[in-house]
């Protein structure tokens, strides 16, 4: 008769059988019905396998070396993880009281090995259906054997404990416990008691006087387990064995004051002593399970909270990313509008500067144009008179005709001089307002500075003296705007400051000079940066720049001029041009009075020689 498995997954069966022949027969029978079988030869080995794998069902022979099948079932029922594993006990035959003992130990079924294999399989499947889903594999260590430490220095037959130590150890080991004997607690490392992986679950202390004081040792153990309790661990259990004494009641009270959990006389039977130890160990292991389950619960709660927090963080990040994207779009739009506005403001400042230039240029053109027109009329009248003397016959007439021609020639020469002045002014204006000023190119610095000064002639007039000191090389690789706008704005402001301090409105007079502007160029070596800078310094003899004004002088729209006299953009634009050259623009006051502007831009000899036009 063949019985097929109830589901697609093969049940994992742990077979505990010391007989190789019986184990082979049972394994073949179970595998023939679709079970996966793992076999061990003892109950102790079965407990050790539970650390790595939890079976669906345990089949154990009752008669095993060391721990028997009933004791194995009892150990499984003491652990929260393994207590729901179904246990089937096999035996050779029907022995009186054996089935009852096995079932009372915690087994779920009791079947003789001689039973029909189909009956055994039916019982197995019934147990698997009953416990279906109760057993789950858990990571880490889920089952461990109890650790018991026996502290005694008696190994003779004078007392029960001395004579029955081997029997006691055998009983404890049959329960699946790991037993250690210690005859001198001084050799016991206190760190072992504080280590959850090595600390004993129960310490049995023999209080018989000898090499050590058992009562004091119990007190020390209680202090150590209080420390374990403070660390959140489960403290060990202490069982003391009392020797015969005259005042047993007083001695028992003193022992219990040390913190022991149980006290037994030394003439107790080994089986009773093992039972008392079993009770203490069971309570300790159950507390361990409760603590482990609580830790797992807390870990699950932490994991759930972490998952929720992570989900919230992801949602928040997504929201922030969307908000950031929107902010970036708005910022890009604002930046575009700002660039457009800045361009308009720059154009406004240029137009303001152009208006100021136009006033001076108009004056420079009107002067020569006025005497050109006057001389034209003189020449025209002279030519008319000459034409009337075309047929002169007398010497006087011929002499008058020659005088008129000489006068016309002189007037034409003066007109030519005026026209040349207008031509030079237009040429300088074309140099100043060239359309390629945004490109970096090699500039003749002295020529460019003289062009700027020529355009400012009307503002400088005769009242301001300009002193030049061009110590730096003539050629500089830069934008034309560096000289056309920056230098011109600074010189124009210096002239305004000098004239304002002198109370002058019209500089075109023959009065003595009222101020001075010094223009200097030089190369400066910066040892810290290992670079060379091309430096312009422009100073004047005006009133200087107040400290509070120096902090704001490069701000857009800030001006100290009267309303309508300035836009407040000249120095702001100059500052931006210098920054485009990766240079610096600073303002200070001279010790002797007056403002001092310093313009510093990087200088490279090779760039200043090749003359190629390119962006930086």
């Amino acid at each position: 008769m063949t019985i097929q498995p109830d589901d697609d997954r093969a049940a994992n069966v742990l077979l505990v059988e010391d007989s190789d022949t019986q184990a082979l027969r049972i394994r073949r029978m179970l595998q023939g019905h679709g079970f996966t079988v793992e076999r061990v030869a003892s109950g102790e080995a079965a407990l050790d396998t539970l650390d790595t794998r939890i079976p669906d069902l345990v089949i154990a022979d009752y008669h095993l070396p060391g721990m028997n099948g009933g004791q194995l079932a009892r150990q499984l029922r003491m652990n929260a993880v393994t207590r729901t594993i179904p246990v089937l006990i096999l035996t050779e035959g029907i022995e009186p009281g054996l089935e009852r003992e096995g079932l009372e130990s915690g087994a779920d079924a009791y079947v003789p090995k001689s039973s029909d294999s189909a009956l055994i399989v039916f019982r197995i499947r019934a147990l698997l259906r009953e416990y279906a889903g109760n057993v789950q594999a858990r990571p880490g260590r889920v089952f461990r054997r109890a650790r018991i430490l026996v502290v005694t220095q008696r190994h003779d037959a004078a007392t029960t404990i001395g004579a029955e130590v081997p029997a006691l150890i055998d009983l404890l080991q049959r329960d699946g416990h790991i037993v250690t004997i210690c005859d001198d607690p001084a050799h016991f490392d206190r760190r072992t008691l504080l280590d959850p992986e090595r600390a004993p679950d129960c310490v049995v202390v023999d209080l018989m006087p000898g090499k050590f004081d058992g009562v004091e040792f119990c007190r020390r153990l209680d202090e150590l387990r209080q420390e374990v309790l403070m660390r959140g661990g489960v403290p060990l259990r202490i069982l003391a064995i009392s020797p015969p004494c005259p005042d047993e009641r007083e001695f028992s009270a003193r022992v219990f004051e040390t913190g022991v959990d149980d006290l037994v006389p030394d003439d107790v039977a080994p089986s009773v002593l093992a039972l008392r130890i079993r009770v203490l160990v069971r309570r300790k292991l159950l507390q361990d399970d409760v603590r482990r389950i609580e830790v797992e619960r807390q870990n699950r709660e932490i994991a759930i909270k972490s998952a929720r927090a992570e989900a919230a963080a992801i949602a928040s990040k997504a929201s922030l990313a969307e908000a950031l994207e929107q902010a970036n779009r708005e910022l890009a739009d604002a930046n575009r509008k700002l660039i457009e506005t800045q361009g308009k403001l720059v154009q406004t400042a240029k137009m303001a500067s152009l208006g100021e230039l136009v006033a001076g240029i108009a004056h420079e053109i009107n002067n020569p144009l006025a005497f050109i027109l006057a001389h034209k009329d003189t020449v025209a009248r002279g030519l008319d008179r000459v034409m009337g003397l075309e047929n002169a016959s007398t010497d006087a007439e011929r002499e008058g005709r020659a005088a008129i021609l000489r006068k016309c020639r002189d007037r034409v020469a003066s007109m030519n001089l005026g026209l040349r002045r207008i031509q030079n002014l237009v040429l300088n204006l074309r140099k100043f307002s060239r359309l390629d000023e945004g490109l970096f190119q090699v500039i003749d610095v002295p020529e460019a500075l003289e062009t700027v000064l020529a355009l400012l002639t009307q503002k400088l007039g005769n009242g301001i003296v300009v002193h030049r000191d061009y110590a730096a090389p003539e050629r500089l690789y830069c934008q034309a705007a560096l000289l056309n706008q920056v230098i011109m704005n600074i010189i124009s402001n210096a002239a305004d400051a000098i004239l304002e301090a002198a109370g002058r409105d019209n500089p075109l007079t023959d009065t003595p000079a009222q101020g001075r502007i010094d223009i200097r160029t030089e190369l400066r070596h910066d040892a810290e940066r290992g670079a060379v800078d091309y430096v312009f310094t422009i100073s004047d003899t005006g009133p200087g720049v107040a400290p509070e004004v120096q902090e704001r002088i490069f701000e857009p729209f800030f001006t100290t001029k009267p309303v309508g006299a300035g836009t407040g953009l000249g120095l702001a634009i100059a500052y931006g041009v210098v920054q485009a050259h990766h240079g610096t623009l600073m303002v200070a006051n001279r010790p002797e009075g007056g403002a001092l502007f310093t313009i510093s831009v990087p200088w490279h000899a090779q760039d200043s020689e090749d003359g190629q036009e390119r962006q930086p």
Side-chain angles (χ1 to χ4, degrees):
M1 179 177 180
T2 303
I3 302 177
Q4 298 297 330
D6 291 339
D7 52 29
D8 295 334
R9 183 183 70 85
N12 298 313
V13 176
L14 176 62
L15 175 61
V16 188
E17 175 60 67
D18 60 322
S19 171
D20 294 337
T21 303
Q22 293 288 348
L24 180 60
R25 182 182 68 82
I26 298 173
R27 178 193 290 272
R28 287 179 176 178
M29 177 190 68
L30 296 175
Q31 290 177 340
H33 290 86
F35 297 106
T36 300
V37 182
E38 180 181 0
R39 181 248 176 166
V40 293
S42 66
E44 292 82 358
L47 296 179
D48 292 338
T49 62
L50 299 178
D51 280 344
T52 56
R53 186 176 183 181
I54 301 297
D56 296 303
L57 179 137
V58 175
I59 299 177
D61 186 5
Y62 187 86
H63 297 287
L64 293 171
M67 176 188 297
N68 60 35
Q71 291 169 329
L72 173 61
R74 184 183 300 113
Q75 290 297 317
L76 294 178
R77 297 297 176 253
M78 289 175 60
N79 187 278
V81 177
T82 60
R83 66 180 49 162
T84 58
I85 299 176
V87 179
L88 176 65
I89 293 182
L90 300 176
T91 185
E92 292 294 343
I94 301 298
E95 301 180 26
L98 195 60
E99 181 177 2
R100 178 179 179 180
E101 182 182 348
L103 295 177
E104 287 179 347
S105 298
D108 297 278
Y110 177 90
V111 179
K113 294 181 181 180
S114 58
S115 300
D116 184 76
S117 61
L119 177 61
I120 297 176
V121 172
F122 275 125
R123 295 297 300 272
I124 291 174
R125 294 203 179 280
L127 291 174
L128 288 175
R129 285 195 299 269
E130 182 181 352
Y131 287 93
N134 289 341
V135 179
Q136 298 179 355
R138 296 169 180 259
R141 188 171 189 177
V142 297
F143 187 92
R144 68 173 180 84
R145 298 163 63 186
R147 296 181 290 266
I148 299 176
L149 174 66
V150 179
V151 182
T152 180
Q153 54 188 338
R154 298 185 291 178
H155 300 283
D156 51 52
T159 62
T160 302
I161 184 63
E164 301 297 338
V165 165
L168 175 63
I169 293 175
D170 182 65
L171 289 173
L172 295 176
Q173 290 177 340
R174 284 177 179 271
D175 284 337
H177 305 322
I178 301 173
V179 184
T180 305
I181 304 296
C182 176
D183 58 3
D184 187 359
H187 298 157
F188 190 70
D189 188 0
R190 72 180 295 272
R191 291 177 296 182
T192 303
L193 291 175
L194 302 177
D195 185 359
E197 298 297 326
R198 296 186 300 161
D201 299 291
C202 180
V203 179
V204 180
V205 183
D206 182 9
L207 301 181
M208 177 64 72
K211 292 188 299 182
F212 64 90
D213 186 348
V215 176
E216 179 60 28
F217 179 64
C218 290
R219 183 176 288 105
R220 287 166 47 200
L221 284 177
D222 184 63
E223 292 176 354
L224 288 174
R225 69 178 183 175
Q226 292 301 321
E227 185 174 349
V228 172
L229 187 63
M230 292 296 295
R231 295 184 179 186
V234 178
L236 56 84
R237 298 295 187 266
I238 305 174
L239 184 145
I241 301 175
S242 173
C245 57
D247 191 348
E248 183 177 349
R249 182 176 181 180
E250 180 182 355
F251 181 78
S252 298
R254 187 160 63 91
V255 172
F256 275 108
E257 287 178 354
T258 63
V260 299
D261 299 288
D262 197 2
L263 179 65
V264 297
D266 65 346
D267 58 353
V268 68
S271 60
V272 176
L273 180 58
L275 182 61
R276 302 281 281 270
I277 294 173
R278 184 185 302 160
V279 172
L280 294 178
V281 169
R282 181 171 64 247
R283 287 161 52 191
K284 167 66 166 58
L285 294 182
L286 288 176
Q287 285 188 336
D288 281 342
D289 286 341
V290 171
R291 178 178 179 275
R292 177 178 53 79
I293 293 172
E294 177 63 19
V295 170
E296 291 178 355
R297 184 190 65 80
Q298 293 177 356
N299 290 338
R300 285 194 299 270
E301 289 182 356
I302 293 174
I304 293 174
K305 290 181 180 179
S306 298
R308 290 175 178 173
E310 185 176 356
I314 293 174
S316 177
K317 287 181 180 179
S319 177
L320 287 175
E322 183 178 355
L324 181 60
E325 184 178 358
Q326 177 65 24
N328 287 336
R329 289 194 297 267
E330 294 176 357
L331 183 61
D333 185 61
N335 187 52
R336 177 183 56 79
K337 293 180 179 179
L338 180 62
I339 292 175
E340 293 177 356
T341 303
Q342 184 180 11
K344 294 178 180 179
L345 291 175
V346 170
Q347 186 64 27
T348 301
K350 289 184 177 180
M351 292 302 295
S353 299
L354 181 61
E356 187 176 352
L357 284 175
V358 167
I361 293 172
H363 182 82
E364 291 295 318
I365 293 178
N366 283 335
N367 283 341
L369 187 59
F371 66 75
I372 288 174
L373 293 175
H375 291 337
K376 177 189 73 75
D377 293 338
T378 302
V379 172
R381 290 193 301 270
L383 290 177
D384 289 340
R385 291 174 61 188
V386 169
M387 291 178 65
L389 297 175
E390 184 178 0
N391 299 320
S393 57
T394 64
D395 293 338
E397 291 177 346
R398 285 193 291 272
E399 181 64 27
R401 184 170 178 268
I404 293 173
L405 290 175
R406 285 194 298 272
K407 185 176 181 180
C408 289
R409 184 187 60 189
D410 294 338
R411 296 296 185 270
V412 169
S414 297
M415 291 168 61
N416 187 51
L417 179 61
L419 290 173
R420 286 178 181 269
R421 288 182 60 183
I422 295 175
Q423 183 183 28
N424 290 334
L425 187 61
V426 172
L427 181 61
N428 288 333
L429 187 60
R430 287 183 58 192
K431 289 181 181 179
F432 179 80
S433 59
R434 61 169 64 98
L435 297 178
D436 59 352
E437 64 180 4
L439 295 176
F440 276 71
Q441 56 188 307
V442 177
I443 303 296
D444 189 313
V445 175
E447 179 184 356
L449 291 177
E450 292 304 319
T451 299
V452 170
L453 292 174
L455 295 175
L456 292 175
T457 300
Q458 187 270 341
K459 175 172 286 192
L460 298 175
N462 298 324
I464 300 176
V465 176
V466 178
H467 181 266
R468 305 161 176 82
D469 183 7
Y470 304 148
E474 295 182 355
R475 299 168 69 83
L476 173 64
Y477 183 72
C478 66
Q479 290 180 341
L482 177 67
L483 298 171
N484 292 354
Q485 284 188 270
V486 178
I487 302 296
M488 181 174 180
N489 278 329
I490 295 175
I491 295 177
S492 177
N493 288 341
D496 289 339
I498 293 174
L499 294 175
E500 182 180 355
R504 296 280 308 284
D505 295 326
N506 182 13
L508 297 179
T509 63
D510 295 330
T511 58
Q514 296 181 341
R516 169 174 168 165
I517 297 177
D518 292 311
I519 305 174
R520 175 177 173 80
T521 64
E522 61 178 330
L523 293 182
R524 292 182 184 176
H525 297 264
D526 191 333
E528 183 176 350
R529 293 189 297 115
V532 180
D533 294 329
Y534 199 105
V535 180
F536 299 85
T537 57
I538 302 172
S539 59
D540 59 66
T541 58
V545 183
E548 62 274 12
V549 175
Q550 293 182 21
E551 298 177 358
R552 303 185 56 194
I553 196 171
F554 299 115
E555 294 180 8
F557 307 107
F558 178 79
T559 179
T560 57
K561 296 179 180 180
V563 177
T567 63
L569 292 173
L571 289 179
I573 295 174
Y575 189 81
V577 172
V578 174
Q579 279 192 322
H581 287 75
H582 305 288
T584 59
L585 173 58
M586 297 182 295
V587 60
N589 287 325
R590 300 193 308 169
E592 60 272 21
L596 171 63
F597 284 82
T598 303
I599 306 166
S600 178
V601 296
W603 183 80
H604 303 283
Q606 182 178 359
D607 291 339
S608 299
E609 294 294 334
D610 58 22
Q612 296 181 358
E613 295 185 357
R614 62 182 183 276
Q615 294 292 343

